[in-house]
PDB file of all heavy atoms in Angstrom:
ATOM      1  N   LEU A 862       0.830  -1.210   0.007  1.00 98.00           N
ATOM      2  CA  LEU A 862      -0.003   0.000  -0.001  1.00 98.00           C
ATOM      3  C   LEU A 862       0.861   1.264   0.002  1.00 98.00           C
ATOM      4  O   LEU A 862       1.894   1.326   0.687  1.00 98.00           O
ATOM      5  CB  LEU A 862      -0.904  -0.003   1.238  1.00 98.00           C
ATOM      6  CG  LEU A 862      -1.795   1.224   1.409  1.00 98.00           C
ATOM      7  CD1 LEU A 862      -2.847   1.312   0.309  1.00 98.00           C
ATOM      8  CD2 LEU A 862      -2.484   1.173   2.787  1.00 98.00           C
ATOM      9  N   ILE A 863       0.451   2.249  -0.782  1.00 98.00           N
ATOM     10  CA  ILE A 863       1.110   3.554  -0.779  1.00 98.00           C
ATOM     11  C   ILE A 863       0.076   4.596  -0.393  1.00 98.00           C
ATOM     12  O   ILE A 863      -0.797   4.961  -1.206  1.00 98.00           O
ATOM     13  CB  ILE A 863       1.731   3.902  -2.160  1.00 98.00           C
ATOM     14  CG1 ILE A 863       2.734   2.798  -2.597  1.00 98.00           C
ATOM     15  CG2 ILE A 863       2.415   5.257  -2.118  1.00 98.00           C
ATOM     16  CD1 ILE A 863       3.239   2.991  -4.015  1.00 98.00           C
ATOM     17  N   ASP A 864       0.107   5.027   0.857  1.00 95.00           N
ATOM     18  CA  ASP A 864      -0.848   6.022   1.317  1.00 95.00           C
ATOM     19  C   ASP A 864      -0.160   7.365   1.508  1.00 95.00           C
ATOM     20  O   ASP A 864       1.023   7.517   1.203  1.00 95.00           O
ATOM     21  CB  ASP A 864      -1.526   5.574   2.606  1.00 95.00           C
ATOM     22  CG  ASP A 864      -0.530   5.276   3.711  1.00 95.00           C
ATOM     23  OD1 ASP A 864       0.700   5.529   3.530  1.00 95.00           O
ATOM     24  OD2 ASP A 864      -0.957   4.823   4.784  1.00 95.00           O
ATOM     25  N   ASP A 865      -0.904   8.348   1.924  1.00 94.00           N
ATOM     26  CA  ASP A 865      -0.330   9.676   2.196  1.00 94.00           C
ATOM     27  C   ASP A 865       0.447  10.196   0.970  1.00 94.00           C
ATOM     28  O   ASP A 865       1.522  10.766   1.115  1.00 94.00           O
ATOM     29  CB  ASP A 865       0.572   9.593   3.434  1.00 94.00           C
ATOM     30  CG  ASP A 865       0.852  10.955   4.040  1.00 94.00           C
ATOM     31  OD1 ASP A 865       0.018  11.841   3.890  1.00 94.00           O
ATOM     32  OD2 ASP A 865       1.904  11.114   4.650  1.00 94.00           O
ATOM     33  N   LEU A 866      -0.132  10.024  -0.210  1.00 97.00           N
ATOM     34  CA  LEU A 866       0.571  10.410  -1.448  1.00 97.00           C
ATOM     35  C   LEU A 866       0.650  11.908  -1.619  1.00 97.00           C
ATOM     36  O   LEU A 866       1.652  12.412  -2.192  1.00 97.00           O
ATOM     37  CB  LEU A 866      -0.137   9.771  -2.660  1.00 97.00           C
ATOM     38  CG  LEU A 866       0.458   8.516  -3.258  1.00 97.00           C
ATOM     39  CD1 LEU A 866      -0.425   7.986  -4.379  1.00 97.00           C
ATOM     40  CD2 LEU A 866       1.873   8.736  -3.763  1.00 97.00           C
ATOM     41  N   PHE A 867      -0.363  12.630  -1.210  1.00 98.00           N
ATOM     42  CA  PHE A 867      -0.395  14.055  -1.478  1.00 98.00           C
ATOM     43  C   PHE A 867      -0.276  14.866  -0.166  1.00 98.00           C
ATOM     44  O   PHE A 867      -1.089  14.749   0.727  1.00 98.00           O
ATOM     45  CB  PHE A 867      -1.702  14.418  -2.203  1.00 98.00           C
ATOM     46  CG  PHE A 867      -1.821  13.800  -3.570  1.00 98.00           C
ATOM     47  CD1 PHE A 867      -2.705  12.765  -3.784  1.00 98.00           C
ATOM     48  CD2 PHE A 867      -1.031  14.247  -4.607  1.00 98.00           C
ATOM     49  CE1 PHE A 867      -2.787  12.191  -5.043  1.00 98.00           C
ATOM     50  CE2 PHE A 867      -1.117  13.672  -5.858  1.00 98.00           C
ATOM     51  CZ  PHE A 867      -2.000  12.641  -6.086  1.00 98.00           C
ATOM     52  N   ASN A 868       0.807  15.636  -0.112  1.00 97.00           N
ATOM     53  CA  ASN A 868       1.083  16.496   1.029  1.00 97.00           C
ATOM     54  C   ASN A 868       1.407  17.892   0.520  1.00 97.00           C
ATOM     55  O   ASN A 868       2.084  18.070  -0.474  1.00 97.00           O
ATOM     56  CB  ASN A 868       2.270  15.961   1.825  1.00 97.00           C
ATOM     57  CG  ASN A 868       2.012  14.562   2.398  1.00 97.00           C
ATOM     58  OD1 ASN A 868       1.366  14.429   3.397  1.00 97.00           O
ATOM     59  ND2 ASN A 868       2.493  13.543   1.704  1.00 97.00           N
ATOM     60  N   GLU A 869       0.910  18.916   1.237  1.00 97.00           N
ATOM     61  CA  GLU A 869       1.033  20.283   0.791  1.00 97.00           C
ATOM     62  C   GLU A 869       2.486  20.680   0.512  1.00 97.00           C
ATOM     63  O   GLU A 869       3.343  20.496   1.367  1.00 97.00           O
ATOM     64  CB  GLU A 869       0.429  21.209   1.860  1.00 97.00           C
ATOM     65  CG  GLU A 869       0.395  22.657   1.446  1.00 97.00           C
ATOM     66  CD  GLU A 869      -0.362  23.523   2.445  1.00 97.00           C
ATOM     67  OE1 GLU A 869      -1.306  22.993   3.070  1.00 97.00           O
ATOM     68  OE2 GLU A 869      -0.003  24.718   2.597  1.00 97.00           O
ATOM     69  N   ASP A 870       2.706  21.178  -0.711  1.00 98.00           N
ATOM     70  CA  ASP A 870       4.014  21.637  -1.192  1.00 98.00           C
ATOM     71  C   ASP A 870       5.107  20.603  -1.040  1.00 98.00           C
ATOM     72  O   ASP A 870       6.266  20.907  -0.742  1.00 98.00           O
ATOM     73  CB  ASP A 870       4.401  22.912  -0.419  1.00 98.00           C
ATOM     74  CG  ASP A 870       3.572  24.130  -0.840  1.00 98.00           C
ATOM     75  OD1 ASP A 870       3.157  24.144  -2.036  1.00 98.00           O
ATOM     76  OD2 ASP A 870       3.360  25.020  -0.047  1.00 98.00           O
ATOM     77  N   LYS A 871       4.738  19.337  -1.321  1.00 98.00           N
ATOM     78  CA  LYS A 871       5.704  18.246  -1.263  1.00 98.00           C
ATOM     79  C   LYS A 871       5.519  17.297  -2.430  1.00 98.00           C
ATOM     80  O   LYS A 871       4.470  17.181  -3.027  1.00 98.00           O
ATOM     81  CB  LYS A 871       5.608  17.468   0.031  1.00 98.00           C
ATOM     82  CG  LYS A 871       6.021  18.243   1.277  1.00 98.00           C
ATOM     83  CD  LYS A 871       5.898  17.405   2.525  1.00 98.00           C
ATOM     84  CE  LYS A 871       6.310  18.206   3.775  1.00 98.00           C
ATOM     85  NZ  LYS A 871       6.130  17.429   5.037  1.00 98.00           N
ATOM     86  N   ILE A 872       6.627  16.619  -2.744  1.00 98.00           N
ATOM     87  CA  ILE A 872       6.623  15.506  -3.728  1.00 98.00           C
ATOM     88  C   ILE A 872       6.898  14.249  -2.938  1.00 98.00           C
ATOM     89  O   ILE A 872       7.880  14.170  -2.203  1.00 98.00           O
ATOM     90  CB  ILE A 872       7.685  15.684  -4.806  1.00 98.00           C
ATOM     91  CG1 ILE A 872       7.404  16.962  -5.637  1.00 98.00           C
ATOM     92  CG2 ILE A 872       7.755  14.445  -5.715  1.00 98.00           C
ATOM     93  CD1 ILE A 872       8.468  17.269  -6.678  1.00 98.00           C
ATOM     94  N   LYS A 873       6.058  13.224  -3.072  1.00 98.00           N
ATOM     95  CA  LYS A 873       6.272  11.941  -2.449  1.00 98.00           C
ATOM     96  C   LYS A 873       6.570  10.906  -3.546  1.00 98.00           C
ATOM     97  O   LYS A 873       5.797  10.791  -4.487  1.00 98.00           O
ATOM     98  CB  LYS A 873       5.110  11.485  -1.604  1.00 98.00           C
ATOM     99  CG  LYS A 873       5.360  10.105  -0.998  1.00 98.00           C
ATOM    100  CD  LYS A 873       4.370   9.713   0.088  1.00 98.00           C
ATOM    101  CE  LYS A 873       4.683   8.355   0.635  1.00 98.00           C
ATOM    102  NZ  LYS A 873       3.799   7.970   1.784  1.00 98.00           N
ATOM    103  N   LEU A 874       7.647  10.149  -3.392  1.00 98.00           N
ATOM    104  CA  LEU A 874       8.053   9.139  -4.365  1.00 98.00           C
ATOM    105  C   LEU A 874       8.297   7.806  -3.661  1.00 98.00           C
ATOM    106  O   LEU A 874       8.869   7.767  -2.575  1.00 98.00           O
ATOM    107  CB  LEU A 874       9.338   9.563  -5.089  1.00 98.00           C
ATOM    108  CG  LEU A 874       9.312  10.894  -5.813  1.00 98.00           C
ATOM    109  CD1 LEU A 874      10.709  11.259  -6.327  1.00 98.00           C
ATOM    110  CD2 LEU A 874       8.338  10.847  -6.981  1.00 98.00           C
ATOM    111  N   VAL A 875       7.848   6.707  -4.299  1.00 98.00           N
ATOM    112  CA  VAL A 875       8.116   5.373  -3.819  1.00 98.00           C
ATOM    113  C   VAL A 875       8.805   4.610  -4.944  1.00 98.00           C
ATOM    114  O   VAL A 875       8.235   4.435  -6.026  1.00 98.00           O
ATOM    115  CB  VAL A 875       6.834   4.656  -3.399  1.00 98.00           C
ATOM    116  CG1 VAL A 875       7.158   3.202  -3.031  1.00 98.00           C
ATOM    117  CG2 VAL A 875       6.201   5.349  -2.196  1.00 98.00           C
ATOM    118  N   TYR A 876      10.055   4.208  -4.695  1.00 98.00           N
ATOM    119  CA  TYR A 876      10.852   3.469  -5.684  1.00 98.00           C
ATOM    120  C   TYR A 876      10.650   1.983  -5.400  1.00 98.00           C
ATOM    121  O   TYR A 876      11.013   1.470  -4.334  1.00 98.00           O
ATOM    122  CB  TYR A 876      12.338   3.839  -5.529  1.00 98.00           C
ATOM    123  CG  TYR A 876      13.276   3.224  -6.551  1.00 98.00           C
ATOM    124  CD1 TYR A 876      13.876   4.028  -7.513  1.00 98.00           C
ATOM    125  CD2 TYR A 876      13.581   1.872  -6.525  1.00 98.00           C
ATOM    126  CE1 TYR A 876      14.743   3.460  -8.442  1.00 98.00           C
ATOM    127  CE2 TYR A 876      14.427   1.313  -7.435  1.00 98.00           C
ATOM    128  CZ  TYR A 876      15.037   2.109  -8.396  1.00 98.00           C
ATOM    129  OH  TYR A 876      15.900   1.558  -9.305  1.00 98.00           O
ATOM    130  N   SER A 877      10.072   1.280  -6.356  1.00 98.00           N
ATOM    131  CA  SER A 877       9.779  -0.139  -6.208  1.00 98.00           C
ATOM    132  C   SER A 877      10.754  -0.988  -7.022  1.00 98.00           C
ATOM    133  O   SER A 877      11.078  -0.643  -8.157  1.00 98.00           O
ATOM    134  CB  SER A 877       8.352  -0.462  -6.645  1.00 98.00           C
ATOM    135  OG  SER A 877       8.132  -1.845  -6.762  1.00 98.00           O
ATOM    136  N   MET A 878      11.160  -2.125  -6.465  1.00 97.00           N
ATOM    137  CA  MET A 878      12.017  -3.048  -7.215  1.00 97.00           C
ATOM    138  C   MET A 878      11.210  -3.891  -8.204  1.00 97.00           C
ATOM    139  O   MET A 878      11.772  -4.696  -8.928  1.00 97.00           O
ATOM    140  CB  MET A 878      12.771  -3.958  -6.251  1.00 97.00           C
ATOM    141  CG  MET A 878      13.881  -3.224  -5.504  1.00 97.00           C
ATOM    142  SD  MET A 878      15.113  -2.459  -6.579  1.00 97.00           S
ATOM    143  CE  MET A 878      15.976  -3.902  -7.160  1.00 97.00           C
ATOM    144  N   TYR A 879       9.899  -3.746  -8.214  1.00 97.00           N
ATOM    145  CA  TYR A 879       9.080  -4.356  -9.290  1.00 97.00           C
ATOM    146  C   TYR A 879       9.284  -3.524 -10.554  1.00 97.00           C
ATOM    147  O   TYR A 879       8.712  -2.455 -10.716  1.00 97.00           O
ATOM    148  CB  TYR A 879       7.601  -4.409  -8.886  1.00 97.00           C
ATOM    149  CG  TYR A 879       7.326  -5.394  -7.791  1.00 97.00           C
ATOM    150  CD1 TYR A 879       6.867  -4.979  -6.548  1.00 97.00           C
ATOM    151  CD2 TYR A 879       7.498  -6.770  -8.007  1.00 97.00           C
ATOM    152  CE1 TYR A 879       6.628  -5.894  -5.534  1.00 97.00           C
ATOM    153  CE2 TYR A 879       7.248  -7.677  -7.011  1.00 97.00           C
ATOM    154  CZ  TYR A 879       6.824  -7.246  -5.771  1.00 97.00           C
ATOM    155  OH  TYR A 879       6.558  -8.143  -4.783  1.00 97.00           O
ATOM    156  N   ASP A 880      10.140  -4.029 -11.447  1.00 97.00           N
ATOM    157  CA  ASP A 880      10.484  -3.335 -12.700  1.00 97.00           C
ATOM    158  C   ASP A 880      10.947  -1.922 -12.470  1.00 97.00           C
ATOM    159  O   ASP A 880      10.889  -1.083 -13.370  1.00 97.00           O
ATOM    160  CB  ASP A 880       9.315  -3.400 -13.694  1.00 97.00           C
ATOM    161  CG  ASP A 880       9.153  -4.784 -14.275  1.00 97.00           C
ATOM    162  OD1 ASP A 880      10.101  -5.252 -14.914  1.00 97.00           O
ATOM    163  OD2 ASP A 880       8.095  -5.388 -14.100  1.00 97.00           O
ATOM    164  N   ARG A 881      11.426  -1.628 -11.243  1.00 98.00           N
ATOM    165  CA  ARG A 881      11.968  -0.316 -10.880  1.00 98.00           C
ATOM    166  C   ARG A 881      11.015   0.835 -11.184  1.00 98.00           C
ATOM    167  O   ARG A 881      11.411   1.952 -11.513  1.00 98.00           O
ATOM    168  CB  ARG A 881      13.326  -0.100 -11.559  1.00 98.00           C
ATOM    169  CG  ARG A 881      14.350  -1.154 -11.150  1.00 98.00           C
ATOM    170  CD  ARG A 881      15.722  -0.879 -11.715  1.00 98.00           C
ATOM    171  NE  ARG A 881      16.661  -1.930 -11.317  1.00 98.00           N
ATOM    172  CZ  ARG A 881      17.357  -1.955 -10.167  1.00 98.00           C
ATOM    173  NH1 ARG A 881      17.219  -0.964  -9.329  1.00 98.00           N
ATOM    174  NH2 ARG A 881      18.161  -2.948  -9.896  1.00 98.00           N
ATOM    175  N   LEU A 882       9.709   0.546 -11.048  1.00 98.00           N
ATOM    176  CA  LEU A 882       8.710   1.595 -11.212  1.00 98.00           C
ATOM    177  C   LEU A 882       8.729   2.535 -10.041  1.00 98.00           C
ATOM    178  O   LEU A 882       8.862   2.100  -8.885  1.00 98.00           O
ATOM    179  CB  LEU A 882       7.324   0.983 -11.337  1.00 98.00           C
ATOM    180  CG  LEU A 882       6.210   1.967 -11.658  1.00 98.00           C
ATOM    181  CD1 LEU A 882       6.225   2.307 -13.169  1.00 98.00           C
ATOM    182  CD2 LEU A 882       4.839   1.423 -11.273  1.00 98.00           C
ATOM    183  N   ILE A 883       8.601   3.839 -10.318  1.00 98.00           N
ATOM    184  CA  ILE A 883       8.450   4.851  -9.268  1.00 98.00           C
ATOM    185  C   ILE A 883       7.011   5.341  -9.307  1.00 98.00           C
ATOM    186  O   ILE A 883       6.495   5.705 -10.371  1.00 98.00           O
ATOM    187  CB  ILE A 883       9.437   6.007  -9.458  1.00 98.00           C
ATOM    188  CG1 ILE A 883      10.870   5.546  -9.212  1.00 98.00           C
ATOM    189  CG2 ILE A 883       9.059   7.143  -8.509  1.00 98.00           C
ATOM    190  CD1 ILE A 883      11.915   6.646  -9.420  1.00 98.00           C
ATOM    191  N   VAL A 884       6.368   5.327  -8.148  1.00 98.00           N
ATOM    192  CA  VAL A 884       5.025   5.874  -7.972  1.00 98.00           C
ATOM    193  C   VAL A 884       5.094   7.105  -7.111  1.00 98.00           C
ATOM    194  O   VAL A 884       5.829   7.114  -6.088  1.00 98.00           O
ATOM    195  CB  VAL A 884       4.103   4.815  -7.297  1.00 98.00           C
ATOM    196  CG1 VAL A 884       2.728   5.379  -7.020  1.00 98.00           C
ATOM    197  CG2 VAL A 884       3.992   3.567  -8.201  1.00 98.00           C
ATOM    198  N   GLY A 885       4.392   8.148  -7.492  1.00 98.00           N
ATOM    199  CA  GLY A 885       4.499   9.372  -6.723  1.00 98.00           C
ATOM    200  C   GLY A 885       3.285  10.273  -6.767  1.00 98.00           C
ATOM    201  O   GLY A 885       2.409  10.107  -7.607  1.00 98.00           O
ATOM    202  N   GLY A 886       3.256  11.225  -5.841  1.00 98.00           N
ATOM    203  CA  GLY A 886       2.226  12.245  -5.825  1.00 98.00           C
ATOM    204  C   GLY A 886       2.869  13.608  -5.623  1.00 98.00           C
ATOM    205  O   GLY A 886       3.791  13.773  -4.832  1.00 98.00           O
ATOM    206  N   VAL A 887       2.331  14.607  -6.334  1.00 98.00           N
ATOM    207  CA  VAL A 887       2.852  15.979  -6.274  1.00 98.00           C
ATOM    208  C   VAL A 887       1.734  16.940  -5.979  1.00 98.00           C
ATOM    209  O   VAL A 887       0.738  16.962  -6.720  1.00 98.00           O
ATOM    210  CB  VAL A 887       3.562  16.372  -7.588  1.00 98.00           C
ATOM    211  CG1 VAL A 887       4.219  17.737  -7.464  1.00 98.00           C
ATOM    212  CG2 VAL A 887       4.574  15.319  -8.004  1.00 98.00           C
ATOM    213  N   MET A 888       1.884  17.752  -4.943  1.00 98.00           N
ATOM    214  CA  MET A 888       0.806  18.694  -4.542  1.00 98.00           C
ATOM    215  C   MET A 888       1.366  20.063  -4.319  1.00 98.00           C
ATOM    216  O   MET A 888       1.688  20.463  -3.177  1.00 98.00           O
ATOM    217  CB  MET A 888       0.112  18.162  -3.270  1.00 98.00           C
ATOM    218  CG  MET A 888      -1.082  18.993  -2.814  1.00 98.00           C
ATOM    219  SD  MET A 888      -1.788  18.313  -1.284  1.00 98.00           S
ATOM    220  CE  MET A 888      -3.035  19.571  -0.953  1.00 98.00           C
ATOM    221  N   PRO A 889       1.492  20.860  -5.377  1.00 98.00           N
ATOM    222  CA  PRO A 889       1.960  22.248  -5.215  1.00 98.00           C
ATOM    223  C   PRO A 889       0.809  23.149  -4.748  1.00 98.00           C
ATOM    224  O   PRO A 889      -0.247  23.164  -5.361  1.00 98.00           O
ATOM    225  CB  PRO A 889       2.400  22.630  -6.624  1.00 98.00           C
ATOM    226  CG  PRO A 889       1.565  21.782  -7.540  1.00 98.00           C
ATOM    227  CD  PRO A 889       1.265  20.514  -6.785  1.00 98.00           C
ATOM    228  N   VAL A 890       0.991  23.842  -3.650  1.00 98.00           N
ATOM    229  CA  VAL A 890      -0.050  24.714  -3.112  1.00 98.00           C
ATOM    230  C   VAL A 890       0.399  26.166  -3.190  1.00 98.00           C
ATOM    231  O   VAL A 890      -0.183  26.977  -3.891  1.00 98.00           O
ATOM    232  CB  VAL A 890      -0.386  24.331  -1.653  1.00 98.00           C
ATOM    233  CG1 VAL A 890      -1.446  25.296  -1.073  1.00 98.00           C
ATOM    234  CG2 VAL A 890      -0.901  22.894  -1.584  1.00 98.00           C
ATOM    235  N   SER A 891       1.461  26.500  -2.464  1.00 96.00           N
ATOM    236  CA  SER A 891       1.930  27.887  -2.391  1.00 96.00           C
ATOM    237  C   SER A 891       3.215  28.123  -3.141  1.00 96.00           C
ATOM    238  O   SER A 891       3.689  29.258  -3.258  1.00 96.00           O
ATOM    239  CB  SER A 891       2.080  28.330  -0.946  1.00 96.00           C
ATOM    240  OG  SER A 891       3.038  27.509  -0.281  1.00 96.00           O
ATOM    241  N   THR A 892       3.829  27.036  -3.688  1.00 97.00           N
ATOM    242  CA  THR A 892       5.110  27.180  -4.373  1.00 97.00           C
ATOM    243  C   THR A 892       5.225  26.148  -5.473  1.00 97.00           C
ATOM    244  O   THR A 892       4.550  25.117  -5.451  1.00 97.00           O
ATOM    245  CB  THR A 892       6.266  27.016  -3.370  1.00 97.00           C
ATOM    246  OG1 THR A 892       7.517  27.277  -4.011  1.00 97.00           O
ATOM    247  CG2 THR A 892       6.298  25.603  -2.808  1.00 97.00           C
ATOM    248  N   ALA A 893       6.050  26.435  -6.453  1.00 98.00           N
ATOM    249  CA  ALA A 893       6.328  25.491  -7.531  1.00 98.00           C
ATOM    250  C   ALA A 893       7.228  24.378  -6.962  1.00 98.00           C
ATOM    251  O   ALA A 893       8.077  24.614  -6.095  1.00 98.00           O
ATOM    252  CB  ALA A 893       7.017  26.161  -8.684  1.00 98.00           C
ATOM    253  N   LEU A 894       7.046  23.148  -7.471  1.00 98.00           N
ATOM    254  CA  LEU A 894       7.830  22.004  -6.986  1.00 98.00           C
ATOM    255  C   LEU A 894       8.627  21.396  -8.136  1.00 98.00           C
ATOM    256  O   LEU A 894       8.055  21.021  -9.171  1.00 98.00           O
ATOM    257  CB  LEU A 894       6.898  20.932  -6.393  1.00 98.00           C
ATOM    258  CG  LEU A 894       6.054  21.370  -5.177  1.00 98.00           C
ATOM    259  CD1 LEU A 894       5.087  20.266  -4.776  1.00 98.00           C
ATOM    260  CD2 LEU A 894       6.970  21.748  -4.013  1.00 98.00           C
ATOM    261  N   LYS A 895       9.927  21.305  -7.951  1.00 98.00           N
ATOM    262  CA  LYS A 895      10.824  20.758  -8.970  1.00 98.00           C
ATOM    263  C   LYS A 895      11.117  19.296  -8.701  1.00 98.00           C
ATOM    264  O   LYS A 895      11.430  18.916  -7.570  1.00 98.00           O
ATOM    265  CB  LYS A 895      12.119  21.559  -9.037  1.00 98.00           C
ATOM    266  CG  LYS A 895      13.103  21.098 -10.093  1.00 98.00           C
ATOM    267  CD  LYS A 895      14.365  21.950 -10.086  1.00 98.00           C
ATOM    268  CE  LYS A 895      15.380  21.488 -11.088  1.00 98.00           C
ATOM    269  NZ  LYS A 895      16.622  22.316 -11.069  1.00 98.00           N
ATOM    270  N   LEU A 896      11.029  18.465  -9.718  1.00 98.00           N
ATOM    271  CA  LEU A 896      11.306  17.053  -9.590  1.00 98.00           C
ATOM    272  C   LEU A 896      12.805  16.820  -9.554  1.00 98.00           C
ATOM    273  O   LEU A 896      13.484  17.016 -10.576  1.00 98.00           O
ATOM    274  CB  LEU A 896      10.664  16.280 -10.744  1.00 98.00           C
ATOM    275  CG  LEU A 896      10.705  14.765 -10.677  1.00 98.00           C
ATOM    276  CD1 LEU A 896       9.935  14.245  -9.468  1.00 98.00           C
ATOM    277  CD2 LEU A 896      10.134  14.141 -11.947  1.00 98.00           C
ATOM    278  N   GLU A 897      13.325  16.399  -8.406  1.00 97.00           N
ATOM    279  CA  GLU A 897      14.759  16.208  -8.235  1.00 97.00           C
ATOM    280  C   GLU A 897      15.076  14.717  -8.147  1.00 97.00           C
ATOM    281  O   GLU A 897      14.234  13.915  -7.709  1.00 97.00           O
ATOM    282  CB  GLU A 897      15.206  16.890  -6.937  1.00 97.00           C
ATOM    283  CG  GLU A 897      14.950  18.367  -6.880  1.00 97.00           C
ATOM    284  CD  GLU A 897      15.977  19.195  -7.640  1.00 97.00           C
ATOM    285  OE1 GLU A 897      16.823  18.585  -8.328  1.00 97.00           O
ATOM    286  OE2 GLU A 897      15.967  20.440  -7.507  1.00 97.00           O
ATOM    287  N   PRO A 898      16.281  14.312  -8.543  1.00 96.00           N
ATOM    288  CA  PRO A 898      16.670  12.909  -8.406  1.00 96.00           C
ATOM    289  C   PRO A 898      16.851  12.521  -6.939  1.00 96.00           C
ATOM    290  O   PRO A 898      17.357  13.333  -6.142  1.00 96.00           O
ATOM    291  CB  PRO A 898      17.976  12.811  -9.161  1.00 96.00           C
ATOM    292  CG  PRO A 898      18.546  14.194  -9.092  1.00 96.00           C
ATOM    293  CD  PRO A 898      17.354  15.107  -9.154  1.00 96.00           C
ATOM    294  N   THR A 899      16.425  11.325  -6.582  1.00 95.00           N
ATOM    295  CA  THR A 899      16.637  10.832  -5.219  1.00 95.00           C
ATOM    296  C   THR A 899      17.945  10.036  -5.177  1.00 95.00           C
ATOM    297  O   THR A 899      18.534   9.706  -6.207  1.00 95.00           O
ATOM    298  CB  THR A 899      15.473   9.930  -4.783  1.00 95.00           C
ATOM    299  OG1 THR A 899      15.446   8.748  -5.602  1.00 95.00           O
ATOM    300  CG2 THR A 899      14.139  10.662  -4.915  1.00 95.00           C
ATOM    301  N   ASP A 900      18.387   9.682  -3.964  1.00 94.00           N
ATOM    302  CA  ASP A 900      19.616   8.900  -3.838  1.00 94.00           C
ATOM    303  C   ASP A 900      19.515   7.542  -4.513  1.00 94.00           C
ATOM    304  O   ASP A 900      20.519   7.003  -4.967  1.00 94.00           O
ATOM    305  CB  ASP A 900      19.938   8.700  -2.355  1.00 94.00           C
ATOM    306  CG  ASP A 900      20.382   9.991  -1.657  1.00 94.00           C
ATOM    307  OD1 ASP A 900      20.762  10.943  -2.379  1.00 94.00           O
ATOM    308  OD2 ASP A 900      20.319  10.049  -0.395  1.00 94.00           O
ATOM    309  N   ASP A 901      18.287   6.977  -4.599  1.00 94.00           N
ATOM    310  CA  ASP A 901      18.114   5.678  -5.243  1.00 94.00           C
ATOM    311  C   ASP A 901      18.488   5.706  -6.715  1.00 94.00           C
ATOM    312  O   ASP A 901      18.876   4.697  -7.283  1.00 94.00           O
ATOM    313  CB  ASP A 901      16.658   5.230  -5.097  1.00 94.00           C
ATOM    314  CG  ASP A 901      16.258   5.012  -3.664  1.00 94.00           C
ATOM    315  OD1 ASP A 901      17.084   4.452  -2.907  1.00 94.00           O
ATOM    316  OD2 ASP A 901      15.125   5.358  -3.304  1.00 94.00           O
ATOM    317  N   LEU A 902      18.394   6.878  -7.349  1.00 97.00           N
ATOM    318  CA  LEU A 902      18.647   6.984  -8.787  1.00 97.00           C
ATOM    319  C   LEU A 902      20.128   7.149  -9.116  1.00 97.00           C
ATOM    320  O   LEU A 902      20.563   6.783 -10.233  1.00 97.00           O
ATOM    321  CB  LEU A 902      17.862   8.140  -9.395  1.00 97.00           C
ATOM    322  CG  LEU A 902      16.345   8.036  -9.283  1.00 97.00           C
ATOM    323  CD1 LEU A 902      15.689   9.252  -9.949  1.00 97.00           C
ATOM    324  CD2 LEU A 902      15.820   6.761  -9.933  1.00 97.00           C
ATOM    325  N   LYS A 903      20.890   7.744  -8.223  1.00 96.00           N
ATOM    326  CA  LYS A 903      22.299   8.014  -8.508  1.00 96.00           C
ATOM    327  C   LYS A 903      22.473   8.662  -9.877  1.00 96.00           C
ATOM    328  O   LYS A 903      23.223   8.197 -10.718  1.00 96.00           O
ATOM    329  CB  LYS A 903      23.118   6.706  -8.427  1.00 96.00           C
ATOM    330  CG  LYS A 903      23.163   6.087  -7.022  1.00 96.00           C
ATOM    331  CD  LYS A 903      23.945   6.950  -6.049  1.00 96.00           C
ATOM    332  CE  LYS A 903      24.141   6.260  -4.718  1.00 96.00           C
ATOM    333  NZ  LYS A 903      22.971   6.205  -3.865  1.00 96.00           N
ATOM    334  N   ALA A 904      21.713   9.738 -10.088  1.00 97.00           N
ATOM    335  CA  ALA A 904      21.714  10.422 -11.380  1.00 97.00           C
ATOM    336  C   ALA A 904      21.747  11.932 -11.164  1.00 97.00           C
ATOM    337  O   ALA A 904      21.336  12.441 -10.096  1.00 97.00           O
ATOM    338  CB  ALA A 904      20.458  10.035 -12.173  1.00 97.00           C
TER     339      ALA A 904
END
């Protein structure tokens, strides 16, 4: 289960080892949100 996907002015990402799919939620409220690489990506 992936709950709590949407949080104010945050990006939530879940990196899965099932075909390395990333599931996420983005909720910009008062500011723009830039998609940044996580440590799991090493990119």
